[in-house]
Every structure is written in C-alpha cells, then in structure tokens.
Amino acid sequence: MSKKSTIDDPDRLLISIRRDLHRHPEPGWCEFRTTSVIFSYLKSFGYQISMLDRLINTDEILGDGSDHCSEKKRAAAEGADAELIGPLRCTGLIATISSVLPGPDTGFRFDIDAVAVGESDSPDHTPNRLGFASVHPGISHACGHDGHTALGIVLAKYISENISRLRGKFTLIFQPAEEGCRGAWSIRNLAQIRNLDRLFAFHLGICATSGQLVLHPDHFLVSNKFRVEIHGRSAHAGIEPEKGINALHCAAAAADRIFRLAEIRPSARTNLGCFTSLNAQNVICDYVSFTGECRDVTDSLNAQLYQEICSIIQEECARFGARYTITPTGIARAVVNSPQLDEPVCRAAAECGLEIIDSAPFNACEDCGHLIAAVQNEGNSAGYYVLGNKICGRHHSPDFDLDEKALTGSLHFLFRLTELIAGSAE
C-alpha cells in the first residue's frame, strides 16, 4: 500500500506547514507571507475569509512602525500571493464556516508572528540540521507560533471535512502581533470576537512539558508597552550649556526613577530599551527617544505602575523644561478561564492520554486576555490553555525548538475537543 499524501495525512501536513513557517518567520504586523499561506489553505477548505485589513482601523493599531513595502517584496519573493498582500495595510484574518446543524459559534485563536531573535546555526540545532531554520537574520519562531499557526490550519481542514456532522459555526482567528502585546488589543472590539459563544486559545510549552495540559494557567503578567520622545533644546556644550535643555539628562533622570519602581514592589517589573540620541558629545542633546514596559500581576496594580511611570516622565520634563510624548505600543491584561469549559477540555485531554495539571504559573504576558475578556463580558465562555511541549532550549532564545511528536498530539487533542463541543452525536 502506498503512503498517504501529505495533504491527506494530518500529522504530516502539520509538520510540513510548521517547518515551512519556521523557515520564513515574520515579525508582528508584517506576517504577509504567513497570512498568504493561511488564506490559501483556508480558501481551499471552503471558509469565508475576512482580512483584518478590512475589519479594523489600521491607523489605530498598536506598535506598527515597520517598512511594509520591503516586507511585502520579501514575502512575494518567498511565495506569497502578491495580488492578495499588495493592498493590505495589516496582516491576519478571521475565517468562518457553518454547519447546516444549529449550534453555537465556537472560536479558536492562533497567533502567527515571530520574535526578534536570531536562530542558532549550531549543527546540533534540529531546524538547522534538517534545513528549515530561519532564513531571515535576527528573526525566528523562537516562541512556537509557527506550531500554533500550523495547528490552526490543520484544525480548519478537519472541521471543514467533518462539517456535515458538526453543529454550529466555527470562527478561526489568525492573530498578528502577539509579541509586544499588540494584535489582540487591536481586534478586541470586533463583532466576530464579541459574538462568540465560546473561545479557545492555547500556547505550546511555557509551563508544561510533552504529554501535559494545564487547565488553569495562572500568574499571567499584565503589561503596558510604550515609546517616549523627549524634546529639549540644543546648545554648545562648552560655550553656553545653560542655553540648552538637555533631553538626554532629563531622560536619564526619568530612567533611573523608573527602574527603581521595581525595587519598591517585588511583583512589579520595569524595563527600558532602544535609547536613542543622535547628538554629538559637544552638543547639548535636544532629542531622545526610548521604549519601555511595565508588568505586574493584576490589571489594577499594573495600571497604577504605568501611571507612576507617566507621572515620573511628566515631573522630570517639567523640572528640565522639556516637552514629551508617551505613545502606547502594547497592552496585555489578566487571563481568567471560564470554568464552564473545564469539562470538555478535561475529557478531551484524558481521552488523548494527556496528564491534566490544574494550574501552573505562566509568568509571562499574553495579549489574548483582551479577546477572552471581550467574550466573557458578553456573558459567554472563553479560556486559555497550555499544551505541554518539551521545548528544546528556552522560549525567545536562539536554540528554541518544538517537540514535533508532542505537536501532533496537540493536534489530535484539538480534533477530539472539537468533536466533544460540537459533534452532532457521541
């Protein structure tokens, strides 16, 4: 008997897609090739597709300062549909398919972006050894979103092939720009999100190894990301420094106070990066920009922390006589799962031989909290689960890699979960 083709074998299709995406990673809001790949598959599966470009105000999305022209050229050179991506102002899509059998609207969310980490070129690194390591310097799928996207595509195929015996409507959300906590905030108010009867979201690895599922991950970090610009006044640093307003000195004074906030409250985290000033050392600095973030364990504590940071910047600029702007670039909120979804998730996990862990600390940010809250605020159910994976290396490190055997196990868990929540008969 001949082997099944990749397209007929879900496990092989999953690994094929994952490795293709891993080889061609794209940063948030620039996932043009990735979006094209998703669109091509889901269109062939019979889904109705809405590009996020048509659904949201792209002038208001968070943290998009990328060169879309060059990103689109690269995507087209690597096989993206140039006609599809050419007019897009942002990436990502929402795909829907409906059964003739009545039932709820079930959503699945998958994040699709890569992270700004260069991938290892060690011969011991599996993607490098097998020829699917990132071809883009300084960017890689070092967080597993290639696996998330591949799971979403193959789950979409499974749903379409079984739609005649499933109930209700299925909404698959392929979300850009999770890294930096940007994408979910930008789509949180869409009717396609708020009208869901239930929403499932997942992450691979993090706080669970292969063969495990975390039912109620906790200790999600709430976060605000931001960009600060401080405008001073230039002057000769030797002849008349008093005539200037030193934006760099002002920024440094603010930075010192911002870093010290984390010393006051153990749960708080503050960090600054990308400090930029182009002035020479003999010129009083007239402009500084920097990026920053704060994190804490609850929405209220982090809101307080962010307000303290804004107040520090305001106070130091007033003291120096400088002008400033603070621009939000990312927002993550807390995640609390709806207990109504515990039963089908636990049953699917048990039937697939997964060890169920009731809770484990996530200890990172996840912007899907915006989508989960949007569904829950309408009185419906949503949850975020960790699908265990024995990660090689560490998340956001050059040697990161997924356990592909566990990845296929996660796929069959999603198949079984779909049957349990939407099957027409047991």
Side-chain angles (χ1 to χ4, degrees):
M1 181 181 294
S2 62
K3 292 183 179 180
K4 291 182 179 180
S5 68
T6 300
I7 202 72
D8 294 328
D9 183 336
D11 293 353
R12 291 179 64 201
L13 178 61
L14 176 73
I15 300 307
S16 174
I17 294 172
R18 182 257 162 164
R19 292 184 178 184
D20 174 66
L21 296 174
H22 190 94
R23 183 170 165 79
H24 303 97
E26 297 171 299
W29 296 125
C30 296
E31 310 96 329
F32 292 104
R33 183 185 185 276
T34 305
T35 297
S36 178
V37 168
I38 298 166
F39 179 91
S40 178
Y41 275 111
L42 270 66
K43 196 69 175 176
S44 72
F45 300 156
Y47 282 76
Q48 297 294 316
I49 299 176
S50 298
M51 310 303 289
L52 292 186
D53 174 74
R54 300 292 184 90
L55 299 177
I56 64 177
N57 182 349
T58 55
D59 293 331
E60 296 179 358
I61 61 178
L62 291 178
D64 181 20
S66 303
D67 178 5
H68 285 181
C69 183
S70 64
E71 295 286 350
K72 288 179 182 180
K73 287 181 179 178
R74 183 171 72 179
E78 294 176 354
D81 182 339
E83 291 188 6
L84 172 70
I85 67 173
L88 294 183
R89 296 164 295 171
C90 77
T91 48
L93 58 86
I94 295 177
T96 60
I97 193 169
S98 298
S99 170
V100 296
L101 302 174
D105 187 347
T106 300
F108 291 93
R109 175 269 198 174
F110 305 94
D111 41 6
I112 68 176
D113 56 325
V115 65
V117 172
E119 187 158 10
S120 171
D121 60 0
S122 167
D124 296 327
H125 183 55
T126 299
N128 190 54
R129 188 177 72 252
L130 298 183
F132 65 92
S134 171
V135 297
H136 300 158
I139 180 112
S140 66
H141 272 294
C143 201
H145 297 185
D146 52 338
H148 299 178
T149 307
L151 285 170
I153 292 172
V154 184
L155 177 63
K157 182 174 187 290
Y158 180 83
I159 291 171
S160 70
E161 290 175 340
N162 293 276
I163 195 65
S164 63
R165 61 185 185 85
L166 297 174
R167 292 177 284 109
K169 178 180 178 181
F170 295 89
T171 300
L172 275 63
I173 304 152
F174 290 89
Q175 179 209 304
E178 187 281 327
E179 300 292 353
C181 305
R182 299 169 289 165
W185 187 90
S186 301
I187 65 173
R188 71 196 187 287
N189 291 324
L190 293 179
Q192 292 91 334
I193 307 294
R194 292 184 291 101
N195 292 341
L196 291 171
D197 294 296
R198 53 202 178 192
L199 172 66
F200 296 91
F202 310 90
H203 205 297
L204 296 165
I206 297 287
C207 56
T209 193
S210 299
Q212 298 177 331
L213 178 140
V214 181
L215 184 64
H216 293 284
D218 54 20
H219 290 88
F220 286 87
L221 294 179
V222 182
S223 182
N224 284 78
K225 323 287 187 185
F226 53 89
R227 182 172 187 266
V228 178
E229 295 180 272
I230 296 178
H231 298 266
R233 184 169 62 236
S234 62
H236 195 290
I239 297 174
E240 47 184 10
E242 73 282 358
K243 297 291 182 67
I245 297 176
N246 198 318
L248 182 56
H249 191 182
C250 177
D256 182 62
R257 291 179 62 188
I258 290 169
F259 280 120
R260 290 178 184 275
L261 288 174
E263 300 173 3
I264 300 171
R265 188 165 67 234
S267 65
R269 292 163 171 80
T270 59
N271 195 45
L272 304 178
C274 297
F275 244 89
T276 302
S277 172
L278 300 179
N279 292 95
Q281 70 271 25
N282 60 347
V283 178
I284 298 298
C285 175
D286 64 346
Y287 175 81
V288 168
S289 68
F290 60 89
T291 59
E293 67 168 15
C294 61
R295 307 188 195 211
D296 216 317
V297 294
T298 68
D299 290 323
S300 60
L301 283 174
N302 192 67
Q304 178 186 352
L305 184 61
Y306 182 58
Q307 185 55 54
E308 289 174 354
I309 289 173
C310 292
S311 295
I312 286 171
I313 294 167
Q314 180 184 34
E315 290 166 7
E316 291 301 329
C317 287
R319 182 164 73 93
F320 280 84
R323 297 177 293 108
Y324 72 95
T325 59
I326 303 174
T327 304
T329 59
I331 305 170
R333 60 174 299 165
V335 177
V336 179
N337 286 358
S338 300
Q340 296 90 334
L341 302 180
D342 287 2
E343 192 279 329
V345 171
C346 285
R347 182 175 171 186
E351 291 183 11
C352 291
L354 300 178
E355 175 190 358
I356 300 168
I357 299 173
D358 183 67
S359 65
F362 196 78
N363 287 336
C365 299
E366 171 49 80
D367 74 349
C368 192
H370 295 295
L371 308 186
I372 289 172
V375 174
Q376 292 172 335
N377 288 342
E378 298 294 328
N380 296 314
S381 302
Y384 188 95
Y385 309 92
V386 174
L387 299 174
N389 196 284
K390 186 178 181 180
I391 300 298
C392 178
R394 306 176 311 281
H395 285 82
H396 291 202
S397 73
D399 54 351
F400 177 94
D401 190 29
L402 293 171
D403 173 1
E404 291 186 336
K405 183 177 180 181
L407 184 64
T408 62
S410 295
L411 178 65
H412 290 275
F413 160 78
L414 292 177
F415 287 173
R416 185 57 185 145
L417 177 62
T418 300
E419 293 284 350
L420 290 175
I421 61 177
S424 57
E426 285 296 308

